[in-house]
Amino acid sequence: MSNEAWEGRRAFISANDAVSYAVRLCRPEVIAAYPITPQTSVVEKLSEFIAGGGMDCQFINVESEHSAMAAVMGAAMMGCRTFTASSSQGLMYMCEMLHYVSGSRFPVVMMNANRTLAAPWNIYGDHRDSLAMRDAGWLQVYVENAQEALDTVLQAYRVAEDAAVRTPAMVCLDGFVLTHTYEIVNIPGQREVDAFLPPYAPGENVLDLANPRSLCISVAPEWQTEFRCQQQAAMEAAKGAIARADGDFAAAFGRRWGGMVEEYRCEDADYVLLGMGSVMGTTRLVVDKLRAEGLKAGLMKIRFFRPFPREEIAALGRRVKGIGVIDRDVSFGNAGALYTEAKAALYSAGGASPHTVNFIAGLSGRDITKEHIETMYRKVMNAAAGGAEREIQFAGLRWEEW
Amino acid sequence: MPKPAVSVFQYPRTATEMPCGPYAKAGVIVETNAGWRISRPVIAAARCVRCQQCWLICPDGAIDRTGESYAVDYNFCKGCGLCARECPAKAITMAKEDGQGE
Ligand code: SF4
Ligand code: SF4
């Protein structure tokens, strides 16, 4: 299909398709991938684009996810823009190379179709796979719908390749609920995308015959810490790059996603739910319902988990009475990952902290219903009023009233 | 010699001197290999027929063939003796580093 057939059009496509179109528009030079449900259709469509001649890109078929990440790292060493995608068990198998890519400061962009981890075996969505990769040194962004998925891929390249950032980025989509759901999506034109995302200008850590360098060198204890400090600084610098990318994107395409976080009806809110990904769409409806009843409800959608929006959460904490955190994961022996980090951010807010409750929900594709979310708000209100509430709760257990 | 001279590695003194990602100029040697060598190859220029075998075989690329006669870069040579063993003209002998014979 020639570009003209879909460029600048509204199309009824899945979020996985939206990612494929976005990647095509970003003109990567090398893609390497291994299929895994529910990611497969992303790389399937990209390989069709390349086979059909619509995309000037090399697709490397590999025997595993570990090799996929190794292959795109090799291409990145040559200064290429690259892409790969994975999910769940595949992401686990990629783990070693995720660290290699981030530590080497190659701005690879990947899509992760969020799916739970075995055992028990299950192919449906939750955030346990990407959150297990929290410390792999990648930017992590979670999206709510297909349009945001497309737009975020474009922004991810901008942020990852920013000279002050040079850090790989993982765009996370909820498995099935997003990846396989069809929505109306605006596909931007190639010319506009080219203007927003100039060709990749790599730094000095590339292979160059005229200027030979050793890449991925061993680094002794005497200066390993300095490299880590640099990675941390790059993540902090990403916060500014994310805001700039969002602003420039809004100017170019007329859509704005909020950068690090998006607040919905938080201006005068007393009770706020935090969460990531598609569940935020349902939560908006519940906020509207509670607002209609006169309750001051709001939500904060955490888009970027890395870098973490410490400042935004601390600022929210200074003005609300109660905060609930929806986690589609649990770190056994403590709490949900988002809750743990949000609570730490609130601690550094200074002054009185709001009451907090953690809701473990939506594991392995379990629906999070509007009723569940309304119950969460009521539990947060109860906690804020001094009522007895367990701090960490599994939402909607079969043997509990919710 | 074909290799760069041994240079002293200087750790970055400021954050701005840090490379972005762990990379370095290639072909830099910061320490000589001589520490573990117990014998060194010595080329008898008069016997050498310039067949290039030693230059091809040396695992460390320590043989220099650019000069008037073939020479060994002792900063890189690890003393494995492959060159002496393979030299068809028997032009290379291994001399003990402590001077106690061959
Ligand atoms: S002894 Fe070994 S390392 Fe030294 S020059 Fe001969 S082959 Fe090369
Ligand atoms: S192998 Fe022997 S003869 Fe051949 S170049 Fe080397 S020293 Fe000379």
Side-chain angles (χ1 to χ4, degrees), chain A residues 116-373:
Chain A
T116 196
L117 294 170
W121 183 258
N122 176 306
I123 59 166
Y124 298 103
D126 65 35
H127 295 162
R128 297 196 57 231
D129 55 355
S130 51
L131 289 178
M133 295 297 104
R134 181 191 72 171
D135 297 337
W138 284 56
L139 302 157
Q140 278 195 5
V141 52
Y142 293 77
V143 302
E144 183 182 331
N145 56 46
Q147 186 71 61
E148 189 181 4
L150 187 150
D151 295 353
T152 301
V153 169
L154 307 188
Q155 294 188 19
Y157 278 103
R158 262 282 292 262
V159 175
E161 293 173 4
D162 187 292
V165 180
R166 293 203 203 287
T167 296
M170 187 185 294
V171 180
C172 299
L173 278 71
D174 286 317
F176 294 104
V177 169
L178 272 188
T179 60
H180 286 61
T181 298
Y182 280 66
E183 298 174 50
I184 298 283
V185 175
N186 289 296
I187 305 177
Q190 185 69 62
R191 196 139 34 93
E192 292 78 58
V193 174
D194 288 347
F196 175 74
L197 181 69
Y200 172 38
E204 287 195 339
N205 60 337
V206 288
L207 295 173
D208 177 6
L209 281 178
N211 195 355
R213 297 185 192 91
S214 301
L215 306 192
C216 301
I217 53 172
S218 302
V219 168
E222 282 82 355
W223 63 320
Q224 172 88 234
T225 303
E226 283 72 13
F227 278 105
R228 297 308 186 204
C229 176
Q230 229 182 6
Q231 280 181 266
Q232 171 76 355
M235 274 287 184
E236 292 298 329
K239 293 177 179 177
I242 289 163
R244 284 195 299 280
D246 192 54
D248 291 352
F249 191 89
F253 301 100
R255 289 184 295 275
R256 185 183 279 282
W257 298 101
M260 295 286 287
V261 302
E262 185 213 332
E263 294 184 6
Y264 181 67
R265 305 192 78 164
C266 278
E267 314 80 54
D268 60 340
D270 288 332
Y271 313 102
V272 174
L273 277 184
L274 266 57
M276 304 196 291
S278 57
V279 68
M280 290 288 96
T282 320
T283 307
R284 284 172 207 273
L285 301 177
V286 178
V287 167
D288 291 345
K289 174 174 186 276
L290 296 176
R291 284 278 175 172
E293 291 172 15
L295 293 163
K296 289 184 167 179
L299 73 84
M300 179 184 269
K301 179 170 92 176
I302 307 299
R303 297 190 69 239
F304 279 83
F305 187 73
R306 281 293 176 274
F308 194 69
R310 281 194 307 267
E311 295 79 5
E312 290 82 351
I313 293 173
L316 180 75
R318 282 191 280 271
R319 54 181 214 259
V320 301
K321 295 179 181 154
I323 289 182
V325 178
I326 306 174
D327 260 294
R328 295 193 66 183
D329 71 281
V330 54
S331 179
F332 305 116
N334 193 15
L338 179 58
Y339 181 71
T340 307
E341 304 220 358
K343 199 175 166 189
L346 291 170
Y347 185 83
S348 56
S353 286
H355 292 267
T356 58
V357 189
N358 187 196
F359 302 104
I360 311 293
L363 298 184
S364 318
R366 178 83 74 92
D367 285 339
I368 307 174
T369 65
K370 285 192 293 235
E371 291 70 29
H372 288 156
I373 294 168

Side-chain angles (χ1 to χ4, degrees), chain B residues 41 58-60 62-63 72 77-83 94:
Chain B
C58 173
D60 282 36
I63 306 276
V72 177
C77 168
K78 63 189 169 195
C80 68
L82 283 176
C83 53
M94 298 300 290

Side-chain angles (χ1 to χ4, degrees), chain A residues 71-149:
Chain A
V72 293
M73 176 165 162
M77 284 177 165
M78 293 302 298
C80 294
R81 183 175 284 161
T82 59
F83 178 76
T84 187
S86 195
S87 177
S88 184
Q89 313 298 127
L91 189 68
M92 295 301 106
Y93 194 20
M94 229 178 223
C95 169
E96 180 186 11
M97 295 314 297
L98 291 176
H99 286 261
Y100 252 102
V101 166
S102 61
S104 305
R105 310 293 302 278
F106 295 126
V108 172
V109 170
M110 76 171 289
M111 172 265 195
N112 184 60
N114 278 114
R115 159 181 152 182
T116 196
L117 294 170
W121 183 258
N122 176 306
I123 59 166
Y124 298 103
D126 65 35
H127 295 162
R128 297 196 57 231
D129 55 355
S130 51
L131 289 178
M133 295 297 104
R134 181 191 72 171
D135 297 337
W138 284 56
L139 302 157
Q140 278 195 5
V141 52
Y142 293 77
V143 302
E144 183 182 331
N145 56 46
Q147 186 71 61
E148 189 181 4

